[in-house]
Amino acid sequence: MIDTAVILAGGKGERMMPITKLQPKALAPIHGIPVLKLQIDQLIRNNVSRIIVLTGHLGEQVHQYVASLNLGTRVICIQSDPELNPAERLIEAHKFFSGPYILLYCDNYIPTDSIINQQLNTKSGISLVLQKRQEGNTFISEKLSAVYVSKERNSSYPYVELGYIAVNDKYFDHLIATYKDINLALEDYSKKYQVKFTNLNNDYQSLSNFARYIRQKLHGKIIILDRDGILNKKMDKRKYLTSFEMLDFIEENLEVFSKLGRKGYSFIVATNQPGVATGELSETFLDSLHTRMTSYLRLKNINILAFYVCKHHWDDLCACRKPMPGLLNMCISDFNLNTESTVFIGDEDKDIQAAFNANIKGLMSPSEELEIFFRELLN
């Protein structure tokens, strides 16, 4: 049985924007749980004793999150240059392990444990998990062997390869080192040798691109939040949070959001930050602040999908500065939210007015109405 797993979690995930602006794709949530945790939990359930997570882009967030799981040396993270491709990342990591392994991408999560168990117990040099499609990258030969094709998907190849590649043959690793490209190595190997495959008939959860993530509703239930006065304590009027030391979270609110997170809720933040327009707040710092907030809140089971920010001056009369509905309309449009069930929580009248203007429900914090709302969700 294969007892080592390697998870490729270093890509920039550009096709998953806006979620991957502030976090690596491996930590994007599926119904409130980061996909990386779902993969790790599944591998542990299936008796994999060593899990190696290969990180790159925003890798420090992955390392911090994995450390918070308290799994000891069973799961290790190896950071490499964010500009490396998956093959180069894998080549560098081979100094840390040898022998058979199962190779996962953080793009896909297959909930069916029996499929994973088959892969872990295969004796084949290479074994793939396939799913039938109108346009794919794999076909089945007359010898009933999977043959991978690295060119663009088309209707001549009726299967797609989903990751979860079982590797028992060191020659495959030699090909990866030669080509420095996993797809080319897989194509070469599958043309020369018999490749076993398992056909997945059930659905799986894909983070290959944002449109598919939304179409599958993998984000789960969403609540939109204001930032200042909801997540963190407000600054004085016309003063802005311009250093990490000034960040002071509202712990009683985080406690509630954490409980909601455990029930599968995720969050979007919509905030006015006119300090950018006045020159008192740099966009670079603002992005760094939101990245740090996203990482910290995740450790409390609060998954922030995205920050939507109005950076205009209050005199600009823009369409996105609350109480105008522009920011909320962008959230609703991008995440395909149902306006009848979407809620925005804020701490000022302009927040409630913005929600009204966007045809969604606005709840003031603190208020009895908000407390009732939370109780209903948590019961």
Side-chain angles (χ1 to χ4, degrees):
M1 176 180 172
I2 294 173
D3 65 357
T4 297
V6 178
I7 303 176
L8 292 167
K12 294 182 179 179
E14 293 172 342
R15 292 185 297 170
M16 274 290 288
M17 291 284 281
I19 290 176
T20 48
K21 179 180 180 182
L22 302 175
Q23 61 189 325
K25 182 165 61 175
L27 297 180
I30 294 178
H31 300 296
I33 303 174
V35 60
L36 179 63
K37 185 177 190 304
L38 291 172
Q39 291 177 327
I40 289 172
D41 288 348
Q42 183 180 60
L43 291 165
I44 290 174
R45 281 197 309 273
N46 285 277
N47 300 313
V48 173
S49 61
R50 192 174 192 213
I51 301 169
I52 300 167
V53 183
L54 305 185
T55 61
H57 176 63
L58 298 177
E60 66 281 356
Q61 289 193 40
V62 178
H63 290 238
Q64 185 182 40
Y65 179 74
V66 169
S68 75
L69 300 178
N70 297 314
L71 296 171
T73 57
R74 188 169 193 173
V75 183
I76 65 168
C77 295
I78 301 173
Q79 175 70 13
S80 57
D81 188 331
E83 299 304 319
L84 294 184
N85 69 34
E88 292 168 329
R89 219 177 295 286
L90 184 57
I91 292 165
E92 281 203 358
H94 264 302
K95 66 185 75 170
F96 296 96
F97 73 97
S98 61
Y101 62 98
I102 184 169
L103 180 64
L104 286 71
Y105 304 104
C106 63
D107 294 62
N108 298 327
Y109 174 62
I110 300 173
T112 311
D113 276 14
S114 60
I115 295 289
I116 311 311
N117 196 264
Q118 287 179 41
Q119 290 297 91
L120 293 171
N121 285 283
T122 184
K123 301 298 183 183
S124 177
I126 295 290
S127 179
L128 307 179
V129 179
L130 306 179
Q131 188 174 70
K132 200 155 192 177
R133 293 282 179 81
Q134 290 185 341
E135 294 185 338
N137 53 19
T138 306
F139 67 93
I140 308 304
S141 73
E142 294 179 355
K143 296 181 179 180
L144 298 181
S145 178
V147 181
Y148 181 84
V149 182
S150 63
K151 65 176 67 172
E152 188 173 338
R153 294 180 184 181
N154 66 63
S155 57
S156 299
Y157 312 116
Y159 294 89
V160 291
E161 183 270 316
L162 302 178
Y164 292 82
I165 303 171
V167 181
N168 285 300
D169 190 344
K170 289 185 177 181
Y171 182 65
F172 180 63
D173 294 319
H174 166 74
L175 291 175
I176 291 175
T178 300
Y179 286 109
K180 293 183 172 55
D181 186 299
I182 293 174
N183 294 335
L184 292 177
L186 188 55
E187 180 175 46
D188 189 329
Y189 187 96
S190 66
K191 287 180 177 179
K192 294 175 180 176
Y193 302 102
Q194 186 83 7
V195 174
K196 185 179 176 182
F197 64 93
T198 296
N199 189 18
L200 179 68
N201 294 314
N202 302 326
D203 202 5
Y204 67 99
Q205 296 163 338
S206 174
L207 280 70
S208 59
N209 60 70
F210 183 69
R212 183 163 185 173
Y213 181 82
I214 296 299
R215 190 166 61 249
Q216 291 186 296
K217 299 186 183 299
L218 298 184
H219 49 68
K221 298 163 284 190
I222 290 176
I223 297 173
I224 308 175
L225 306 174
D226 186 20
R227 193 194 80 177
D228 303 327
I230 301 299
L231 288 173
N232 57 274
K233 294 179 182 178
K234 296 176 77 78
M235 305 296 292
D236 292 337
K237 188 173 182 179
R238 301 285 164 86
K239 299 293 182 182
Y240 307 102
L241 210 165
T242 56
S243 72
F244 297 125
E245 291 72 27
M246 298 165 71
L247 177 61
D248 190 5
F249 285 107
I250 303 174
E251 294 299 334
E252 57 267 34
N253 286 356
L254 298 194
E255 184 177 342
V256 176
F257 299 146
S258 178
K259 291 177 181 177
L260 290 171
R262 290 187 177 91
K263 284 185 168 285
Y265 282 86
S266 294
F267 303 89
I268 299 171
V269 179
T271 177
N272 293 344
Q273 295 298 325
V276 174
T278 66
E280 297 165 83
L281 177 63
S282 75
E283 291 193 52
T284 299
F285 173 76
L286 188 62
D287 283 346
S288 296
L289 175 66
H290 289 165
T291 298
R292 183 173 290 200
M293 291 177 72
T294 299
S295 183
Y296 174 81
L297 292 170
R298 185 187 304 109
L299 301 180
K300 292 182 172 289
N301 296 298
I302 302 169
N303 288 294
I304 305 295
L305 297 172
F307 278 79
Y308 285 77
V309 183
C310 172
K311 303 171 186 175
H312 298 106
H313 194 279
W314 49 85
D315 290 334
D316 286 346
L317 302 179
C318 66
C320 56
R321 179 174 168 80
K322 295 174 292 180
M324 297 297 286
L327 278 187
L328 298 181
N329 285 339
M330 283 189 278
C331 300
I332 293 164
S333 175
D334 288 353
F335 285 85
N336 195 27
L337 302 180
N338 183 341
T339 54
E340 292 184 3
S341 58
T342 299
V343 170
F344 176 52
I345 299 174
D347 69 318
E348 294 188 43
D349 290 339
K350 64 183 176 183
D351 297 319
I352 308 307
Q353 184 63 47
F356 177 82
N357 292 338
N359 295 311
I360 63 175
K361 186 176 184 63
L363 292 175
M364 181 72 78
S365 177
S367 69
E368 183 178 351
E369 186 181 17
L370 180 61
E371 290 181 9
I372 293 171
F373 173 72
F374 285 150
R375 282 200 299 271
E376 289 176 347
L377 295 186
L378 292 171
N379 285 338

